[in-house]
Amino acid sequence: MADLSVNFAGLKSPNPFWLASGPPANTGGQVMRAFDAGWGGAVWKTIGEPIVNTTSRYGAIDYNGVKVMGFNNIELISDRPIEDNLREISEVKKRYPKHLVIASLMVESKRESWHEMVRRTEDAGSDALELNFGCPHGMSERGMGAAVGQVPEYTEMITSWVKEAARTPVIVKLTPNVSDIARIAAAAEKGGADAVSLINTINSLMGVDLDTFAPRPVVAGKSSHGGYCGPAVKPIALHLVASVAKKVRIPISGIGGIGYWNDAAEHIALGATTVQVCTAVMHYGFRIVEDMIDGLSQYMDDHGFRSIEDFRGRAVPNVVDWGDLDLNYKIIAEIHPELCIGCQLCYVACEDGAHQCISPYTAAGNGKKNVNGMGVHVPRIIEEECVGCNLCALVCPVENCITMKEVKTGLPAMSWNDRTRQRAADPGCALPPTPGAD
Amino acid sequence: MPLRQTAPKLSPEQYEANFADIAPPLTRQQAAVEAARCLYCFDAPCTQACPTHIDVPTFIKKIWTGNLRGSARVILEANILGHSCGRVCPTEVLCEGACVMHEKGEQAIAIGRLQRYAVDDVLDKDIRMFHAGAPNGKRVACIGSGPASLACAAEVAKWGYAVTIFDRHDLAGGLNTYGIAAYKTRAPDSLREVELVRQLGVEIRQKTEIGRDISFAELEKQFDAVFIGVGLGETWGLEIPGDNLHGVYGAMEFIEQTKVKPFHHLEVGQRVACIGAGNTAIDVVTAARRLGAETVYLIYRRSEREMPAFKYEYDLAKKDGVIFLWQTQPIRVLARDGAVTGLECLRTRLGEPDARGRRSPVPIAGTEFTVEADMVVRAVGQRPVTEFLRPVPGIELRKDGTVVIHERQQTGNPKYFAGGDCVNGGKEVVDAVAEGMAAARGLDAWLGSPRAKG
Ligand SMILES: Cc1cc2nc3c(=O)[nH]c(=O)nc-3n(C[C@H](O)[C@H](O)[C@H](O)COP(=O)(O)OP(=O)(O)OC[C@H]3O[C@@H](n4cnc5c(N)ncnc54)[C@H](O)[C@@H]3O)c2cc1C
Ligand SMILES: Cc1cc2nc3c(=O)[nH]c(=O)nc-3n(C[C@H](O)[C@H](O)[C@H](O)COP(=O)(O)O)c2cc1C
Ligand code: SF4
């Protein structure tokens, strides 16, 4: 059986699955139930001077009958007194010494305030600190959260203040609402951070009620931009995790759109050592961690990975600049007629939305007939025209009915950057041909 | 004279439960989920399979986007009886039968139910979808107010024709009002659709029989073109001794009762024997069971394999606990004191295939046996009622009474067009609608409209 335990910046976690700072980690009672369910750690709901929340706080996007594809909130940090949170942290740690309790903190940007907060939290027994430099709404208007995390100099400075006082590892949580997240990660590293976690939520408005013109989520007819998260943000999160992994040496806790073990595995393959989950728990409860553990173990066993380190970061070197992609690699679409159901979606997609390389009917069909005796019209790929964009395979509703097959060009691998370099070295050189270039 | 033994009356709730919609309306959430399943095929097979060629993917996509009114418009433009069709079409052999989901190994999209969902919305909210066209000064008469005529009338009214529908019956709608199983649709549902047609300025004159109350000469004087949509008439007789006894009913006579009378006013035998195995026979036996009959037989001369009813109709009767007597031929209705007591029957064996390829039943002598019944229903096909057309020069009738048509539903007399059951010999509502609309285009072209090209 695969060993799921990890060492994250010196912290030992029974598995890589942590609750992200948010409503599921709001109280000691919840965190203890989460640990019972199997979560390895919990990042406490951000602690600071208690705030007042609005009612009506969340919005969601449903897609094709699937609920909560995307989720957003305009909640602030914990609305509970600091003492209550700290007391419960002590209690949880006493009862669950092997699980990790990480305190998420946010205080006003004053050196003494941070020192004071760090001391109190560590005295309560937390295993590590996560600095919330990411909250995009509300708190940032008060000069905290993303207001810090969007400026590399502030990030570095406040991280270094915390490090002056901290005895436990310091994790800096990053906001995606910046133009270059890797720069902010580097600033945190420079400030002494032991790790980074990302992503916090993305600035968003969930929609507009078209009768009242109130944006969502509606607070007395108005709304404010909130933080977007849930399944819809995973691709964004993966990209940002990968760019940070390429930039810094400190460990990463991956967050964003994780609902299943394979989402977690992808974050790990792109460099994360642990992962954090919020929306999926808000949707389905703590119990989802059971399959996360089970599924990840299965996957690792199937691939012969004995520990998380065996595959962590394996995909990072494969994330390259566009200029380093091989222009001589060629694939084209192939339709497997026996699987075709005759929906013609590939045809209309390619005809109207891509490169006009599919003809709608084949003379032969595939021999299938429906109850009305009508045959199934199987489209045909015009192979000479196909640019290999994947669109038809992506829209085809039948698994494996359209696959992309590699066509050997017989040409050596060559990227745009290779070409540019060749040209720079020898401006008069004849460039080798590339497939599809006329 | 009463039936020998009638089934005990049920409670009002029980009747309602027994005749509740077999395909209840979808909730908003169900419709959203089902609409989302639709792949939005291009050049979709469901649309091709529908006799009225409703643009199915488009109307389903509109349900998905929440544009129900637009969805209903797409449906009703192609088929003014889109609501009924959603309820009563044998979708399994039409649109849903062609759904690509079958090839995918999944359940077909519930097209009929989605169709009803969209149209329900505009009917419930009484939203007016269509308006009569600017009057073109021409007049069209429709004989019969069934689906074929309603479709023809609605279409030409939109183009500005003044239309009058004549029907000999009390209520409009034809078999859509009087014939279709109550658990699929009720008379008021059909009448709601008749209202849609009336809103287009179409005049409907009930209790007016053409050929009796109004002569063809008069009709021809007043109207520029005539559409014949008279459907089929009463059920064929059994032509066996006792056929006319009290307690022997025609299928239509029996079914019509279930459509226009409150269920608790209906008398049904405790034991019912229905002769025939088509879709109408299924409607008879299921209605009899649902009205409380204890024992219901379906008697058929051939075997299960030759049964003409659709498979899912047959399944319905099986679920209702009907007893099937295959290869059984009634030879005499038995009675005591003038009331039916049962049927004397012979077993049959199947002989050589007939012209249509069905093996014909041959009674086996000496196999007489009795099926006890308090009520016998004949469901052996309906007689056309087209004899009254004989005086019209040029109109040809086939041996079975159906009206012969040429291109664009035009009969041998160019002023007369025909469609629906009286032409096709008895198909479905949707076919009648398609033929009514085709006739509308036909007469429009014949009257020289510029719309008609090709
Ligand atoms: C028991 C039964 C169940 C059925 N179930 C279904 C089903 O589930 N789904 C489905 O799609 N189809 C079903 N059908 C078939 C469907 O009802 C018919 O195909 C459809 O109604 C035919 O329409 P039509 O307009 O041609 O004729 P009809 O609906 O028969 O209408 C003809 C009208 O013409 C009138 N008429 C006749 N002669 C004259 C005259 N001389 N003057 C004035 N008026 C006249 C009649 O009164 C009648 O109203 C069923 C039929 C039956 C009998
Ligand atoms: C295949 C593809 C190519 C695109 N190319 C361009 C482009 O050349 N120029 C541009 O301004 N945006 C381009 N976009 C971005 C789109 O214009 C649009 O901003 C983006 O996809 C978000 O809109 P959507 O959610 O409707 O797709 C492209 C998008 C796609 C999917
Ligand atoms: S009219 Fe009938 S066959 Fe046509 S799409 Fe609607 S339900 Fe299907």
Side-chain angles (χ1 to χ4, degrees), chain B residues 35-115:
Chain B
R37 287 181 62 227
C38 172
L39 296 177
Y40 197 42
C41 293
F42 183 80
D43 194 8
C46 47
T47 294
Q48 295 171 32
C50 171
T52 58
H53 303 307
I54 292 176
D55 187 343
V56 175
T58 297
F59 93 69
I60 293 182
K61 189 73 167 178
K62 284 175 188 290
I63 293 177
W64 185 78
T65 68
N67 178 6
L68 287 188
R69 207 173 316 166
S71 178
R73 182 173 35 72
V74 168
I75 295 162
L76 296 174
E77 268 174 3
N79 179 338
I80 192 81
L81 298 196
H83 169 89
S84 284
C85 283
R87 285 169 166 250
V88 311
C89 268
T91 50
E92 293 79 353
V93 297
L94 296 172
C95 51
E96 292 175 22
C99 180
V100 300
M101 285 292 183
H102 291 296
E103 313 295 338
K104 210 167 168 249
E106 288 174 31
Q107 277 246 301
I109 305 298
I111 298 171
R113 294 179 74 188
L114 285 170
Q115 183 171 312

Side-chain angles (χ1 to χ4, degrees), chain B residues 211-289:
Chain B
R212 196 190 68 185
D213 305 327
I214 295 180
S215 72
F216 289 103
E218 204 169 322
L219 209 58
E220 287 175 24
K221 203 161 72 212
Q222 284 187 32
F223 296 94
D224 300 288
V226 180
F227 175 75
I228 304 165
V230 294
L232 301 174
E234 228 331 306
T235 321
W236 289 102
L238 291 174
E239 332 264 312
I240 57 173
D243 193 0
N244 52 0
L245 281 167
H246 180 78
V248 181
Y249 296 80
M252 295 319 301
E253 185 189 356
F254 173 66
I255 289 170
E256 191 172 313
Q257 302 288 311
T258 67
K259 298 288 291 193
V260 294
K261 279 192 185 166
F263 297 119
H264 62 275
H265 284 180
L266 300 181
E267 297 273 276
V268 64
Q270 179 70 309
R271 290 164 305 177
V272 177
C274 174
I275 301 160
N279 293 319
T280 299
I282 300 289
D283 287 356
V284 169
V285 294
T286 52
R289 279 289 290 155

Side-chain angles (χ1 to χ4, degrees), chain B residues 159-180:
Chain B
W159 297 332
Y161 290 86
V163 191
T164 308
I165 294 179
F166 300 94
D167 199 298
R168 59 179 181 181
H169 227 313
D170 305 348
L171 296 174
L175 288 181
N176 206 24
T177 301
Y178 285 109
I180 294 174

